[in-house]
Structure formats: C-alpha cells, structure tokens
C-alpha cells in the first residue's frame, strides 16, 4: 500500500446519477428500486449522501429520445426526469455540493438556456455548472420537428455560437445593476444594464437577460465527448471535461490532449479538470467484488445476439452459443483492437483464461458508455484511483455506481477513508460554489463593465430627468 503523504493536489469526485444503477442488470437486484428515477426522496437522499461525503458535484445527464428496446441495452437511460427541474429540486435539499445540469444545445435557444442556468445559479447560491452537449442520438431529431440530426461540424458550430451568446447574456447585468434604491426610487441603473446586440451565423439576440448576473458571474461549463470538436471545445472553455476511457493508457492520452489544448488556448493546464467515468465494483475482499460483478451480469435481461457481437468485434461467431469458449483470434492485429480489449476484460472480470462468448457479451453490455470498470477490494480500488491520479490520467472521477444505493455507500464508507488517510481527498469543503470546488479564483470580470453606449447614456439621462421631475 502506498504510504500516506499529503498531496498538493486533491482528488475531485462527482456522483453521476444512474438511478437504477450503471450496470444493466442492477435494476433487478434485491434492494434496488426499478422506479427510483422518479422518486424524489431517493434522489434527494443520493445527493445528500454525496454532499455529506464532500463530493464536488451531483450530476444528471440527459437524453431526448427513448424506446422500449433501450431497456435491454442501457436500462438506466430509458427513463429519467428533466435535468433542470431535478437539479432545482436537489438544490433545495442540499447546501454545498456542486450541481451539474445538462442542456443539449442542438435543440435549444440561447435566451432560454441563459434564463434557466442563471435562475438555478441564484437558487442554489452559485453551485451550478452547465454540461454542454450536442447530442449523439439520431432519434432526437424526430422529437423536435426535424428530418435529421445534424452532423458533428454543424452541431458544434451551432453550440459554440450558442454558448457565446449565453455567456454574453449572463454579463448583460453588471454586478451592481440591480440598485434597489427605495428612497431614491431607482430599481435598476440603466448604465449597467446592457443589450448584447448579438448578430451571428445562427442567432440574433438583442438582450439584456431579464435575470440579474449569476452569483458565479460566468457559470462553469462541463462537457464530454470523443470527437475532435468536443475535445477542442472542452480544452478551450470547460472547467471540467468528462472522459469515457476504458483503460489507463487511453486515459493518459486523453488527459494529455486536454491539458495541452488548454495551454494552447491561453489557459493554465490546471484550469480544466479531467474526470474519467469510474464504475467501482467494491468488496471487502477482492473475491466479493468479482462475485458482485458476476451476480449483476447474471441479471442482464438483454438476449445474446452472437451475429451482432461478431460484427461489432470483427470475430466470426456464427454457430456459437453463449456457453462456447470465445474463439481464438490474432490479438496483435490492430484492426481487432476492440476485440482484444473485450477479451482482456472478460478474462479479468470473470477470473478465467478461457472466457465464454457469454462472458464477452456481458462485458459489452456492462461497459455502457465505455467508462472504466474498477474492481477489487476497497484497498485495490483506492490504489487504482491513486495510480491514475498521480500518473497523468485523471484529476478525479465521475463516479457511476453499478447499483444504488449500496454501490455509492460502499464507495463512501470503504474507499474514501483510505484516500483521505493518504492525503488525497478533502475532509471538508473549502468553498461554497461550483467554481470554488475546482479552484476558481473568484468572480470573473464583466465584459461590459464601464462600457456605456451613447444610447445608454441618453437613456440614463432621460430616466434621471424623469426621476427628478417625479421627486
């Protein structure tokens, strides 16, 4: 075990809410409520547990389409509440933990997003962050009166302009624009309220916003994604970048790219925190952890389709059943890298050198969105976290418990005390805003401060003259 020693860096942890568990078999486990995604008491309890454990944030992703078939592929994403509504509810039941709400820019308008985010930042006391997504689900287009889902380039062109407009709208009120001078009869200083006059490729927005500047000034951005545009956006703009990386080596490469991109955009490498997804299977012993994975895998409701699995991995599986051993293939062939990863994980997770076709299929389902599965005793999982943290792969993790609530309880009660003893995770919060949890240096300057247009000057004179006549 690594010896305890204070670290100048501290791990960041968030809870990524999959109400019925990240593992696709978890909703069938005794003690898991299959309808938890709509249970406000359950949602609040998870948020409070994470806050009591001093997690950096509570996070809810989003999806704009679903189907009955999805229950077999990723049941935890089949049904969920709207994120801004849920985050507003969670804000009322917590005090310090950061809150991340997801908004899909492809099907959004900047004025709406600016109002929603500014409102939640006020209601939460400055604890909001916005997860900027452009959407990868083709089905969403049909739910928003469109014939097709835009390609990656179009989505990011739109998203980048939309984020720019929202940022301007947040600044359209200077910090002291809402005067509230009861004696003098002046509610708002017109010189400190700014029309943004945005004229772009996609949006024409006059402004100003009808909500005062958010407590954080500029609400922190979060994003995830694998495309080059997504990575570039995160490096240039985000406070937190999520990563779906299944191996340590992939995580190192992603981490280095985001940090280098931040520096290339005039930021410090530490201005952006890279948080891979972590799915922790924890036991009091290593054997318990592997037994948990295997127990959950036995509950997977999806039917094994050997033809589809064979096409995905480019390994012929015709005529084989789940009980057959997975056939040998050239594991050095670069074109079979995915198959090599799957077979490696199937060997590890099932503790066998000869996994079956079923074992490989179970991993293909359990990996979900490609997050890293950490498995072992609490000590072993803590060692893995520390190794990634200290060797250029992560600044912390977006924790996706394989089942809830017990999976989160195990992480909090068994793993966090080990990391705290090693000086790697906080004992208490040092700030009260999302930005502060990630080392933010206070409210950013307002781009419109001390800028008064001729129109504003004339309006200020008119209001002042009217005000004096009334008095």
């Amino acid at each position: 075990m690594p010896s305890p020693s204070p670290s100048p860096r501290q791990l960041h942890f968030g809870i990524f809410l999959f109400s019925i568990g990240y593992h696709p078999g978890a909703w069938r486990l005794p003690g898991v409520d299959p309808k938890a995604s709509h249970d406000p008491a359950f949602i609040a309890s998870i948020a409070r547990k994470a806050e009591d454990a001093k997690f950096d944030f509570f996070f809810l992703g989003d999806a704009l389409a679903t189907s009955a078939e999805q229950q077999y592929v990723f049941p935890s994403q089949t049904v969920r509440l709207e994120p801004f509504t849920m985050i507003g509810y969670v804000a009322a039941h917590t005090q310090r933990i950061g809150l991340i709400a997801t908004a899909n820019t492809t099907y959004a308008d900047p004025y709406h997003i600016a109002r929603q985010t500014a409102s939640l930042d006020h209601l939460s006391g400055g604890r909001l962050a916005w997860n900027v997504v452009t959407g990868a689900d083709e089905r969403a287009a049909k739910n928003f009166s469109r014939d097709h889902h835009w390609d990656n380039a179009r989505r990011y062109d739109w998203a980048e302009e939309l984020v720019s407009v929202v940022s301007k709208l947040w600044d359209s009120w200077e910090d002291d624009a809402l005067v509230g001078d009861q004696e003098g009869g002046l509610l708002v200083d017109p010189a400190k309220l700014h029309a943004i006059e945005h004229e772009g490729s996609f949006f024409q927005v006059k402004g100003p916003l009808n909500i005062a500047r958010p407590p954080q000034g500029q609400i922190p951005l979060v994003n995830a994604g694998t495309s080059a545009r997504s990575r570039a956006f995160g490096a240039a703009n985000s406070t937190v970048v999520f990563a779906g990386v299944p191996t340590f080596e992939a995580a190192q490469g992603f981490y280095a790219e985001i940090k280098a991109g931040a520096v290339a955009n005039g930021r410090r490498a530490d201005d952006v925190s890279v948080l891979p997804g972590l799915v922790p299977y924890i036991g009091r012993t290593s054997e318990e952890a592997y037994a948990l994975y295997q127990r959950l895998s036995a509950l997977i409701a999806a039917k094994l389709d050997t033809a589809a699995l064979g096409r995905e991995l480019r390994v012929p599986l015709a005529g084989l059943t789940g009980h057959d051993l997975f056939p040998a293939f050239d594991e050095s062939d670069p074109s079979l890298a995915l198959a090599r990863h799957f077979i490696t994980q199937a060997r590890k997770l099932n503790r066998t050198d000869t996994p079956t076709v079923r074992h490989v299929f179970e991993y293909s389902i359990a990996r979900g969105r490609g997050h890293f599965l950490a498995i072992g005793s609490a000590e072993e999982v803590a060692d893995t976290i520390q190794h990634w943290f200290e060797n250029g792969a992560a600044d912390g993790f977006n924790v996706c418990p394989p089942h809830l609530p017990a999976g989160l309880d195990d992480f909090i009660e068994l793993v966090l005390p080990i990391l705290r003893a090693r000086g790697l995770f906080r004992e208490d919060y040092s700030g009260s805003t999302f930005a502060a949890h990630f080392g933010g240096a206070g409210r950013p300057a307002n781009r419109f401060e001390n800028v008064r247009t001729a129109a504003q000057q004339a309006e200020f004179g008119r209001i002042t003259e009217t005000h004096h006549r009334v008095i």
Side-chain angles (χ1 to χ4, degrees), residues 54-181:
K54 313 308 175 188
F55 274 48
D56 292 84
F57 59 82
F58 174 98
F59 167 49
L60 178 69
D62 195 23
L64 298 178
T66 193
S67 67
E69 291 71 28
Q70 192 162 321
Q71 67 180 302
Y72 303 111
V73 180
F74 206 162
S76 61
Q77 288 197 336
T78 303
V79 59
R80 63 177 65 194
L81 296 178
E82 191 280 319
F84 279 88
T85 308
M86 181 195 276
I87 290 299
Y89 174 81
V90 172
H93 287 80
T94 54
Q95 295 180 322
R96 300 287 292 277
I97 192 168
L99 306 168
I100 302 178
T102 299
N104 188 321
T105 57
T106 303
Y107 303 101
D109 182 271
Y111 202 87
H112 284 317
I113 297 298
R115 295 187 73 214
Q116 289 176 297
T117 50
S119 295
L120 278 180
D121 205 43
H122 280 286
L123 292 173
S124 66
R127 292 188 286 134
L128 189 71
W130 169 23
N131 179 38
V132 180
V133 302
T134 70
D137 193 335
E138 296 277 348
R139 300 173 302 174
K142 300 296 185 181
N143 291 334
F144 289 87
S145 305
R146 297 187 189 178
D147 292 331
H148 65 279
H149 190 55
W150 294 337
D151 63 22
N152 182 268
R154 166 87 175 194
R155 295 201 312 271
Y156 273 94
D157 288 345
W158 175 280
E160 287 171 2
E161 184 176 338
L162 186 146
V163 170
S164 173
V165 176
V166 170
S167 177
K168 292 176 185 177
L169 287 168
W170 288 334
D171 273 352
S172 62
W173 287 69
E174 293 186 35
D175 289 338
D176 54 353
L178 186 58
V179 178
D181 182 356

Side-chain angles (χ1 to χ4, degrees), residues 230-297:
S230 173
R231 298 193 301 271
F233 177 90
N237 302 288
S238 293
T239 297
V240 174
V241 172
F242 293 144
V245 283
T247 66
F248 172 72
E249 292 74 20
Q252 279 188 312
F254 186 90
Y255 186 92
E257 179 181 351
I258 296 299
K259 297 290 185 174
V263 173
N265 279 278
R267 309 174 74 194
R268 299 176 306 150
D270 290 344
D271 287 342
V272 56
S273 293
V274 179
L275 273 58
L278 177 76
V279 188
Y281 294 83
I282 304 159
R284 283 162 178 78
T285 65
S286 181
E287 290 72 20
E288 278 189 10
Y290 285 92
L292 171 63
Y293 170 81
Q294 291 158 23
R295 183 185 182 192
L296 290 170
S297 293

Side-chain angles (χ1 to χ4, degrees), residues 111 169 172 194-198 205-209:
Y111 202 87
L169 287 168
S172 62
H194 301 273
I196 67 170
E197 304 291 358
H198 178 87
V205 181
K206 181 176 178 60
L209 196 63

Side-chain angles (χ1 to χ4, degrees), residues 332-378:
S332 65
D333 184 344
S335 69
L336 300 177
L338 186 62
R340 181 174 65 250
H341 171 66
F342 276 38
I343 196 73
T344 299
Q345 293 302 309
R347 288 169 180 148
K348 173 187 174 182
L349 294 166
N350 293 281
R351 311 191 99 176
T352 177
D353 292 330
T354 55
T356 64
V357 173
R358 174 76 190 184
H359 288 150
V360 174
F361 168 71
E362 288 169 350
Y363 173 71
S364 75
I365 299 293
R367 72 194 291 262
R369 292 292 179 264
H371 296 307
F372 175 66
L373 276 57
I375 187 165
S377 67

Side-chain angles (χ1 to χ4, degrees), residues 173 176-190 460 463-464 467-468 471:
W173 287 69
D176 54 353
L178 186 58
V179 178
D181 182 356
Q182 294 175 312
E183 183 177 346
L186 191 67
L187 178 64
V188 175
D189 181 346
F460 180 71
I463 290 178
T464 302
H467 169 72
H468 285 312
I471 295 297

